[in-house]
Amino acid sequence: MTRHEPATAQPRAAVRRDARQKVTGEARYAVDRTPPGCLHACPVPAAVARGRVTAVHADEILRRPGVHAVLTHENAPRLGDADDPTLALLQEDRVPHRGWFVAVVVADTPENARAAADALRIDYAPSEHDVRLSADHPRLYTPEKANGGHPAVRERGDFDTAFAASPVRLDATYTMGALHNHPMEPHAATAWWDDDGLTVYDSSQGATTVRDVLARLFRQPQQRITVVSAYVGGGFGSKGTPRPPAVLAAMAARHTGRPVRLALPRRDLPAAVGHRAPTVQRVRIGAAADGTISALAHDVVTQTSTVKEFVEQAAVPARTMYTSPHSRTTHRVVALDVPTPSWMRAPGEASGMYALEAAMDELAEAVGVDPVELRLRNEPDAEPDSGKPFSSRGLAECLRDGARRFGWAGRDPRPGVRRDGDVLSGTGVAAATYPVLVSPSRASAHAAPDGRFVVRVDATDIGTGARTVLAQIAAEALGAPLDSVRVELGSSRLPDAPVAGGSSGTASWGWAVHKACAALRATLASDPGRTLPPEGVTVEADTKEEAGRTYPYARHAFGAHFAEVRVDTATGEVRVGRLLGVYAVGRVLNARTARSQFIGGMTMGLGMALTEHSTMDPSFGDFRERDLASYHVPVCADVPDIEAHWVEEHDPHLNPMGSKGIGEIGIVGTAAAIANAVHHACGVRLRDLPLTPDRLLPLLTTRASAP
Amino acid sequence: MDQTLSERASTVTLRVNGTDRSLTLDHRTTLLDALRDHLDLTGTKKGCDHGQCGACTVLLDGRRVNGCLLFAVACAGRSVTTVEGLTDGEVLHPVQEAFVARDALQCGYCTPGQICSAVALLDEAARGEPSHVTPPERLPGGPVPLTPDEIRERMSGNICRCGAYPNIVAAIEEAAR
Ligand code: FES
Ligand code: FES
């Protein structure tokens, strides 16, 4: 078994390396590069929820000034198979959901392209559609796997018997609507073909992956495709897989022989770049009178599209969290005529832990045990599902440390008793977990004769601080000053690397960087007296073997979230007063960027709890909330000062840096902590997110008028 | 319905970051697109094109506006400051400096808009312009003290999906000192 030696210290809060470029506006994102002669493309979303395109009246549009082309399934380049049906664009007349792109208009200016796209008449043969998810949908089925390759169903012991025999039984169903990633930078790409092949500036979480997929779609060798994602305006999963802009811009560029820029309008994002699927989650817990869990079932119902199966793995965290000798965790899904769901920050954990942690709060109330204590009482000795020991499990420490920092001790558990005029206040707690993931990566390390170093890896900095943290890892492995290391990332011309996703970026890229730098250091040390040749020395590394290792441990990050809320009983409005998170994530490599990741995740969790809501219009078959005026991303006034802390955790079973991923765990327990605090404030147990005034107020009124 | 270019376009002069720029622009071109596509000032970002996110915030005659909500030809003769115009050579504006120091950004896409908004906010508060959360008993005339709540309220037209708000508030407090 590999044990990683503890690393030596480097500046632990280095300033973000690209901060200056970002505050001055110098940083160029995909849509900020417009080559000479560039045309502008505007995609046309399908206006029916299901059916076929019967005619595209392109001739009318081609007569308009400035219009160069209209691409449809009739004339667009034929694509190869890339194993992602969401990218089989303009290949056939079928419309699988409203918002599916059925044409692309290319013009000389963005204004002309948009006006022409708006004016393009398309005839459809619509068919009946079904976009309504329900827990008793007749077409629900059990998939083989949920997202992440997790088995859809896991059983241990005999849940039904144990649950029936439990002195305390909780059976609660939690729902949440779809959520949208809505990174601030809408997905965009600029593409052109020349003698070297295809070049694409793409807004993506991983240029290597986009290159590989484009190579398959356009049947080109990989080396004839260059994808650049130097600066990316957030993604939160929605840019983790290649998306339509890169494909459509490359098609339009091939068709017109000119560079083409395509930026998705914000309103196209909900249908085109994935969403967190709505879920109906039933949680049943059977416990002893002291709260010890004997039976735990988590049954998830969710939706996918008819294009591709994606199953939000919401029941998976229940396999890790608590002692549960008898357990059943299941996923069922129905393929509806809806856009294809996909990754959104902590897919599975964010929705699943909302339900599980809200249920734990209900159990705490039912058995009269403090919710922090209840979780401590159900700490397992090994991962319940796999039986493997944890490589490290800092949940108890996070709960204790968070309780101390938050001032949890002595909390009056009674709901609805802290009143100040119309306002009731309360506090809540929830746990968080996220798996440790890692993928193979390559990297190179170069030593120049002047004593400077260059590290190259096709990592992507989507705002995580990868540029900064990789430089720290390199400097540490080289034993060199931080400012002697330059990092090049964000281009498929650099050594191949996996996407920024699954909170695995730092582990995956960092491992390869560490390996290359350690080898370079050894090379240099083997001949300390020599002067380097003018071209310097370069060492390459590949972590295929390391990343593929299996470990006899369950490896997860953990955290605890604490929230304080105020509920206005006159309006039903919930305001968050305090939010505090404590994390056990191995070694934190950069305190500054890590804290930003945590508070960012918690902010998104606050949105999930209170403001973010997307609904499906059953007759139009469309998301109703498709812009930032109707889909409420938290704004500055919604967000209190957020505290993020972490406990010291030395886990030798991770990687040479000793780090676990931190990009997603911040969102995981936040919504439950807030929902639990709302119950503590006002005594209302609302099991449907988000907790908006229109839902809460009727329950508050009922409660107030009850005897 | 097709129009000739002269019917669709006009030549206007905008004073951008202190320099007069003469541009022939489609009447539909927004101030945001004029800056980005015609002057290559891509620091100003497009997040929604609908006045809902603040990524396109610039200063028009010193006041913050959403560049996506203004037609460029309607801004003829006016003075525009973008994020690129805030730096003095190599020297960052104090608000930019504070954003770096406080890590008030992650992906950086909302950042130019946040910074332009913050620069205008400091002026608005100094001029004594009240906000929704300014206590009514505060005597009019003097500058408004920039408490965290004042900053949060006044910055709520600029969405940050990365959730850098606590750091943005801290940065603006620092710049206000
Ligand atoms: S781009 Fe102007 S407000 Fe969003
Ligand atoms: S820094 Fe990414 S949206 Fe604000």
Side-chain angles (χ1 to χ4, degrees):
Chain A
M1 195 60 259
T2 319
R3 286 184 68 90
H4 301 285
E5 295 308 317
T8 55
Q10 270 285 328
R12 294 288 289 270
V15 172
R16 196 179 287 271
R17 285 200 153 193
D18 50 15
R20 188 184 173 96
Q21 286 73 15
K22 287 175 174 175
V23 300
T24 55
E26 276 166 44
R28 296 237 175 201
Y29 299 72
V31 78
D32 296 339
R33 303 176 183 266
T34 311
C38 190
L39 298 174
H40 299 269
C42 189
V44 181
V48 298
R50 183 159 171 255
R52 300 198 172 271
V53 173
T54 53
V56 180
H57 300 280
D59 46 337
E60 301 167 2
I61 294 306
L62 288 164
R63 288 198 293 270
R64 295 170 70 102
V67 175
H68 283 244
V70 176
L71 274 76
T72 70
H73 66 277
E74 287 170 351
N75 64 347
R78 296 298 93 190
L79 297 173
D81 179 17
D83 220 15
D84 182 351
T86 67
L87 299 176
L89 297 156
L90 309 184
Q91 300 299 294
E92 55 171 28
D93 58 357
R94 182 172 94 99
V95 175
H97 61 78
R98 192 181 279 264
W100 176 258
F101 293 130
V102 290
V104 173
V105 176
V106 189
D108 56 349
T109 67
E111 292 82 8
N112 282 337
R114 186 164 65 183
D118 283 348
L120 180 63
R121 283 197 307 124
I122 297 178
D123 299 335
Y124 300 92
S127 6
E128 287 285 300
H129 64 264
D130 177 9
V131 296
R132 246 191 270 229
L133 174 67
S134 64
D136 55 1
H137 198 288
R139 286 193 287 115
L140 279 170
Y141 67 95
T142 301
E144 199 182 317
K145 301 244 187 241
N147 177 49
H150 297 281
V153 177
R154 293 288 289 171
E155 295 210 46
R156 264 180 296 117
D158 178 354
F159 168 78
D160 295 313
T161 307
F163 183 67
S166 294
V168 182
R169 284 191 297 274
L170 177 85
D171 183 348
T173 298
Y174 304 87
T175 69
M176 44 185 283
L179 295 172
H180 301 299
N181 311 59
H182 277 317
M184 284 315 299
E185 177 201 22
H187 301 54
T190 302
W192 67 91
W193 296 83
D194 57 23
D195 294 345
D196 298 329
L198 171 67
T199 303
V200 184
Y201 287 115
D202 191 29
S203 172
S204 127
Q205 289 173 230
T208 300
T209 305
V210 175
R211 179 208 55 198
D212 293 352
V213 167
L214 290 176
R216 291 173 68 178
L217 288 172
F218 291 94
R219 298 186 181 90
Q220 297 284 319
Q222 288 176 354
Q223 61 273 19
R224 284 187 48 83
I225 297 187
T226 303
V227 178
V228 180
S229 300
Y231 287 94
V232 182
F236 314 110
S238 70
K239 297 171 184 171
T241 55
R243 290 296 179 185
V247 180
L248 294 175
M251 279 172 135
R254 173 169 267 193
H255 186 85
T256 58
R258 300 262 294 265
V260 172
R261 189 178 94 186
L262 187 152
L264 290 187
R266 174 66 59 184
R267 65 171 180 275
D268 286 0
L269 261 55
V273 302
H275 61 278
R276 192 194 300 286
T279 44
V280 179
Q281 303 182 57
R282 182 180 185 195
V283 180
R284 283 170 292 169
I285 307 180
D290 68 352
T292 311
I293 297 171
S294 59
L296 170 61
H298 194 157
D299 298 301
V300 174
V301 167
T302 188
Q303 73 186 28
T304 188
S305 72
T306 63
V307 179
K308 175 170 147 179
E309 184 184 83
F310 179 94
V311 183
E312 180 91 5
Q313 71 271 36
V316 168
R319 298 172 184 170
T320 297
M321 284 306 294
Y322 300 115
T323 304
S324 46
H326 304 280
S327 172
R328 181 189 300 139
T329 46
T330 70
H331 300 83
R332 283 181 305 148
V333 66
V334 54
L336 300 173
D337 304 310
V338 297
T340 307
S342 183
W343 302 337
M344 178 166 165
R345 205 171 201 165
E349 284 77 18
S351 30
M353 285 295 278
Y354 156 64
L356 182 61
E357 291 301 294
M360 286 298 279
D361 202 62
E362 298 202 37
L363 177 64
E365 190 184 27
V367 295
V369 173
D370 178 82
V372 170
E373 172 60 25
L374 178 74
R375 289 171 172 86
L376 295 174
R377 278 185 198 177
N378 285 290
E379 274 283 282
D381 298 328
E383 184 175 49
D385 184 67
S386 66
K388 289 180 182 173
F390 289 96
S391 66
S392 56
R393 179 174 165 115
L395 176 57
E397 206 185 337
C398 291
L399 284 164
R400 290 198 185 97
D401 188 57
R404 181 181 60 76
R405 292 175 184 274
F406 192 77
W408 184 265
R411 171 185 185 259
D412 180 348
R414 291 174 302 156
V417 297
R418 287 152 298 273
R419 181 179 281 278
D420 178 8
D422 285 338
V423 176
L424 288 166
S425 58
T427 51
V429 63
T433 187
Y434 195 84
V436 170
L437 304 173
V438 66
S439 300
S441 178
R442 295 168 191 245
S444 72
H446 172 82
D450 65 358
R452 306 186 67 79
F453 299 92
V454 184
V455 167
R456 294 187 175 89
V457 54
D458 185 16
T460 327
D461 193 333
I462 54 173
T464 54
R467 274 189 178 82
T468 315
V469 171
L470 292 177
Q472 288 180 256
I473 292 168
E476 190 171 296
L478 288 162
L482 185 57
D483 59 11
S484 69
V485 179
R486 195 174 84 224
V487 173
E488 290 183 11
L489 51 70
S491 167
S492 66
R493 289 276 166 216
L494 299 166
D496 289 0
V499 296
S503 295
S504 66
T506 299
S508 306
W509 312 319
W511 201 330
V513 166
H514 188 278
K515 188 176 178 183
C517 290
L520 179 60
R521 184 182 192 172
T523 307
L524 299 177
S526 65
D527 188 3
R530 93 168 148 161
T531 32
L532 294 185
E535 71 279 11
V537 176
T538 302
V539 172
E540 292 180 1
D542 186 342
T543 59
K544 206 174 164 69
E545 186 270 319
E546 292 88 334
R549 282 177 201 156
T550 53
Y551 289 80
Y553 297 102
R555 302 188 301 167
H556 304 267
F558 290 92
H561 289 125
F562 293 79
E564 180 181 284
V565 304
R566 300 183 303 274
V567 180
D568 188 320
T569 53
T571 64
E573 186 187 19
V574 179
R575 304 288 296 167
V576 177
R578 285 196 293 154
L579 211 47
L580 181 147
V582 180
Y583 302 94
V585 288
R587 176 168 167 242
V588 169
L589 299 173
N590 183 318
R592 179 187 301 258
T593 52
R595 180 172 173 273
S596 289
Q597 287 275 285
F598 291 134
I599 64 173
M602 292 163 82
T603 301
M604 207 176 267
L606 187 156
M608 175 179 163
L610 298 180
T611 64
E612 292 182 40
H613 192 208
S614 177
T615 56
M616 185 49 74
D617 182 301
S619 48
F620 284 92
D622 202 358
F623 290 120
R624 291 190 187 93
E625 295 81 7
R626 286 183 299 141
D627 62 23
L628 295 171
S630 51
Y631 185 86
H632 293 156
V633 167
V635 298
C636 203
D638 295 322
V639 181
D641 198 18
I642 299 179
E643 283 185 54
H645 306 277
W646 44 90
V647 298
E648 284 289 314
E649 186 172 74
H650 300 282
D651 185 335
H653 309 296
L654 300 171
N655 54 51
M657 296 79 69
S659 63
K660 297 177 180 175
I662 59 175
E664 290 165 273
I665 193 165
I667 192 176
V668 173
T670 302
I674 292 172
N676 296 343
V678 168
H679 171 260
H680 186 236
C682 63
V684 166
R685 194 69 80 170
L686 180 52
R687 300 191 180 101
D688 310 291
L689 292 186
L691 309 177
T692 46
D694 57 309
R695 290 170 162 183
L696 204 51
L697 193 56
L699 302 175
L700 289 168
T701 319
T702 319
R703 187 182 151 84
S705 59
Chain B
M1 61 152 294
D2 292 338
Q3 299 154 307
T4 64
L5 183 68
S6 61
E7 286 168 328
R8 290 187 289 120
S10 298
T11 301
V12 293
T13 300
L14 305 176
R15 193 164 182 80
V16 180
N17 297 331
T19 307
D20 282 338
R21 308 293 297 262
S22 178
L23 298 168
T24 301
L25 296 171
D26 188 313
H27 295 157
R28 299 166 297 183
T29 302
T30 61
L31 176 59
L32 171 62
D33 285 341
L35 293 167
R36 292 178 47 80
D37 287 341
H38 296 262
L39 297 173
D40 198 33
L41 291 170
T42 54
T44 310
K45 301 301 185 202
K46 184 184 289 187
C48 69
D49 222 11
H50 280 61
Q52 299 167 349
C53 77
C56 62
T57 306
V58 294
L59 307 180
L60 187 64
D61 295 332
R63 301 206 65 111
R64 48 181 164 167
V65 295
N66 288 335
C68 70
L69 290 185
L70 291 163
F71 289 118
V73 290
C75 300
R78 302 184 68 181
S79 169
V80 183
T81 305
T82 70
V83 70
E84 291 92 344
L86 293 176
T87 37
D88 181 6
E90 284 297 293
V91 183
L92 297 182
H93 186 282
V95 171
Q96 292 172 314
E97 201 70 78
F99 267 60
V100 173
R102 294 297 182 141
D103 204 40
L105 55 101
Q106 293 181 41
C107 77
Y109 198 80
C110 74
T111 308
Q114 303 278 0
I115 287 173
C116 286
S117 224
V119 168
L121 175 162
L122 295 178
D123 269 359
E124 290 159 17
R127 277 197 298 269
E129 294 173 16
S131 81
H132 172 65
V133 301
T134 310
E137 63 276 13
R138 201 191 61 80
L139 286 174
V144 180
L146 283 175
T147 62
D149 276 347
E150 276 287 356
I151 296 171
R152 285 187 192 111
E153 172 64 25
R154 290 167 189 261
M155 288 303 289
S156 284
N158 290 83
I159 295 177
C160 176
R161 187 52 156 164
C162 295
Y165 299 128
N167 294 356
I168 290 171
V169 173
I172 296 172
E173 276 188 281
E174 187 169 301
R177 275 189 216 118

